[in-house]
Amino acid sequence: MLCFWALLCFLFLVMPCSMWDLSCPTRDQTRRSRTKRSWVWNQFFVLEEYMGSDPLYVGKLHSDVDKGDGSIKYILSGEGASSIFIIDENTGDIHATKRLDREEQAYYTLRAQALDRLTNKPVEPESEFVIKIQDINDNEPKFLDGPYTAGVPEMSPVGTSVVQVTATDADDPTYGNSARVVYSILQGQPYFSVEPKTGVIKTALPNMDREAKDQYLLVIQAKDMVGQNGGLSGTTSVTVTLTDVNDNPPRFPRRSYQYNVPESLPVASVVARIKAADADIGANAEMDYKIVDGDGLGIFKIAVDKDTQEGIITIQKDLDFEAKTSYTLRIEAANKDADPRFLSLGPFSDTTTVKIIVEDVDEPPVFSAPLYPMEVSEATQVGNIIGTVAAHDPDSSNSPVRYSIDRNTDLERYFNIDANSGVITTAKSLDRETNAVHNITVLAMESQNPSQVGRGYVAITILDINDNAPEFAMDYETTVCENAQPGQVIQKVSAVDKDEPSNGHQFYFSLTTDATNNHNFSLKDNKDNTASILTRRNGFRRQEQSVYYLPIFIVDSGSPSLSSTNTLTIRVCDCDADGVAQTCNAEAYVLPAGLSTGALIAILACVLTLLVLILLIVTMRRRKKEPLIFDEERDIRENIVRYDDEGGGEEDTEAFDMAALRNLNVMRDTKTRRDVTPEIQFLSRPTFKSIPDNVIFREFIWERLKEADVDPCAPPYDSLQTYAFEGNGSVAESLSSLDSISSNSDQNYDYLSDWGPRFKRLADMYGTGPESLYS
């Protein structure tokens, strides 16, 4: 507080009086007097963050007109007037009532006016002045972009720039040192340093190795007041990551490797995976592998797995234990992109030796050829030799081989093979037209190990012979018009032959000897495997002959040639003016004019359909009128019979005829339903003997149930059937005590003697005392 007042006094001393008081005379006024001067305003200064209990004095306004008698009134307006700044209207003293923050608002613009208190008129023109907030160091530096992350390549030289940090101070940079910041490093030494003025972080140690430590945490401080004591400070963190460079060559962990592989391993199979270690990462750890020496250059190859950077050794050719039992490879691994700065560390490649041991396996027999093409004529005899296949055991044991045919490839068993020699013979007659090529599989099996089976493939081509006669290429439908002229071509025929001669087909057509001299048709061989049928006369009539049969003789060019006779059917038709056949049936002439045969058939079909419909309708109506049961008087479907007579018990027979219900042997009359044809015979009812009534009831209901289930002639299936059979006696038997004396009951009736004279007779009958009747 004392410092604040001292600063305030200093301002009063050094500032011109014209800044505070309108009545302060200038230098010229000391020399001469004037009659009137106008308002002269300058800015006022006030310190921010004043925390005193009394209002803070800012300054004083005064006019030359003011004689000190209270006739002048001062008024303040503008920013913060009345709310922040108040003025004494009599003296012109200005005070600040609130704490001011320069960082929120650096200055306030206000207007002052002097009024005559009596007339309330201005005695001076309104003028504007500024109250400027004087800054104090009340804001610490802040890193608005922190925390920071940065990267720098490993092995970078000292002084390599990493990142620049920046702190801002909200204090006034134009006044004092409140906003002048210097940087220092609190954590991260001796690896990094920071420039005090710029905040640039740099490396401070050479040869920092990522493989030893790849990340550092730095703490940077920014302090205002140029770092002097009493200044405010702020900190931020900087995470520096060392990025990788290719400074580590690949190295195989072992000088030699050995792998065992079976000789049966297929081509392109993986034999081994090897990997050279590289401490670098990413692209700096990528490497290539190659076989630089060894006796397996043409048998094996090596490629790199881009995901794991492993060298994958695969087979390029089949292995054969009997030919070679081991291979030695010298393999080199090298980085793809070497950094010239680190070549002095040594060669960025390494070599190792890989030995591959081939293991013997029991292999199946191997045929001397992958495919055996054979040819045989379809006319060959059964048992003739077609060809021979050969297979051997590739193992050192050289086991004998037995042959067989895979019957799944020869289902019809056309061929046989000698088990010892491999000679293939025919087992059936062959037909090229059925199957021109037979592809069969021959199995070769080791005698000592039948599970070892080799497969050979044989393609047997059947050679053609001329064993099929030519025939019509299709079923011809030939017609001739009644008005045809002689020499008219009515049909062109061609032939086909199932055989396939090497020089192609050549067919010859002619009429048979019996048809050569016919007067109706002739044949012309066109010499192009076709023939034309021509008419020899005119005036064909369907009434005389509607169909002609022309036998045609066809001969092929085979050796020996084959021939066949094919019959051409020619129908006589009624044709229009363009020669298009209209009607070819002779019966058309006997039909009524204007109606064709098809039309008459359609009319007859409609008439028959109508008759059938009428007959069905009449039948259905009759059946609806007839009742389902022949006995109409006993039809219970639409009758409700009510009995309201309670009767006189079991002895009353007026309401119900109990005899009919008790007689279980009486068969009811079978009624036939008109809408159901009875197919199931009634089950015979057994005669009930004298058995307990509860059994009789059960048997009675069971018999009625079975009868209702199987009887198709019963009343409608959804009817309610009731039975009023009572039985032969009470299940509870007699309730009378008259026969109790004959029973072996142990009940004691002596208490009847205590009931008085009226029960003496009963006590004598049932009592057990000496006075009892039967004692």
Side-chain angles (χ1 to χ4, degrees), residues 261-291:
V261 296
E263 63 174 332
S264 59
L265 202 64
V267 174
S269 299
V270 176
V271 173
R273 288 175 174 263
I274 60 175
K275 183 177 182 180
D278 193 325
D280 297 322
I281 60 175
N284 296 320
E286 293 180 358
M287 62 189 75
D288 289 325
Y289 295 87
K290 62 181 178 179
I291 301 175

Side-chain angles (χ1 to χ4, degrees), residues 420-461:
N420 297 317
S421 63
V423 175
I424 300 175
T425 58
T426 56
K428 282 185 178 181
S429 297
L430 303 175
D431 184 10
R432 188 205 64 83
E433 288 69 39
T434 302
N435 193 351
V437 178
H438 295 264
N439 293 304
I440 64 174
T441 301
V442 177
L443 306 178
M445 181 187 304
E446 288 186 14
S447 299
Q448 297 179 0
N449 187 2
S451 63
Q452 295 296 328
V453 179
R455 284 172 170 78
Y457 302 97
V458 181
I460 302 176
T461 302

Side-chain angles (χ1 to χ4, degrees), residues 24 45 215 244 282 309 323 346 405 427 461 584-585:
C24 179
F45 292 88
Q215 197 171 79
D244 186 57
Q309 294 301 313
I405 294 177
T461 302
C584 298
N585 295 328

Side-chain angles (χ1 to χ4, degrees), residues 28 34 85-86 91 100 166 236 290 326 373-374 395 610 742:
D28 293 337
R34 65 176 182 88
F85 302 102
I86 59 175
T91 64
L100 301 177
T166 302
T236 188
K290 62 181 178 179
S326 66
M374 299 181 183
D395 297 319
L610 290 175
S742 62

